[in-house]
């Protein structure tokens, strides 16, 4: 079973939150079939903007949203 992940990011008001400043300027890095490839894309994007503390990239586990019964059973990082 594919475990779809989304990587996206943008400028946040507070680096400790996910309160994005401008929803129109969010960068969608891509969709990935597994956590390992999503993490690789996330690291590349985060590294590219490492000097800008207001930029934040995240990984969303889309498979957990489409199959909520997997949330309780899913191991960390999956």
């Amino acid at each position: 079973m594919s475990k779809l992940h989304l990587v996206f990011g943008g400028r946040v008001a507070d680096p400790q939150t996910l309160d994005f400043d401008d929803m129109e300027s969010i960068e969608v890095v891509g969709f990935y079939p597994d956590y390992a490839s999503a993490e690789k894309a996330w690291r590349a994007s985060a590294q590219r903007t490492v000097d800008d503390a207001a930029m934040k990239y995240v990984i969303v586990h889309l498979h957990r949203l489409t199959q909520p019964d997997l949330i309780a059973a899913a191991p960390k990082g999956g």
Side-chain angles (χ1 to χ4, degrees):
M1 178 181 84
S2 179
K3 292 187 175 181
L4 191 60
H5 297 78
L6 166 64
V7 178
F8 71 92
R11 189 166 301 283
V12 292
D14 177 353
Q16 295 185 6
T17 70
L18 289 176
D19 184 17
F20 290 97
D21 283 344
D22 181 11
M23 299 300 283
E24 299 291 322
S25 66
I26 287 182
E27 174 192 359
V28 175
V29 178
F31 294 89
Y32 301 90
D34 54 55
Y35 184 80
S37 56
E39 183 181 27
K40 184 176 180 182
W42 169 81
R43 286 187 188 282
S45 296
Q47 184 63 39
R48 184 173 39 86
T49 59
V50 71
D51 292 330
D52 186 350
M55 289 296 290
K56 188 170 199 168
Y57 287 87
V58 296
I59 300 173
V60 178
H61 303 266
L62 293 179
H63 61 278
R64 291 185 182 171
L65 298 175
T66 60
Q67 296 178 326
D69 54 318
L70 294 179
I71 293 173
K76 282 197 166 240

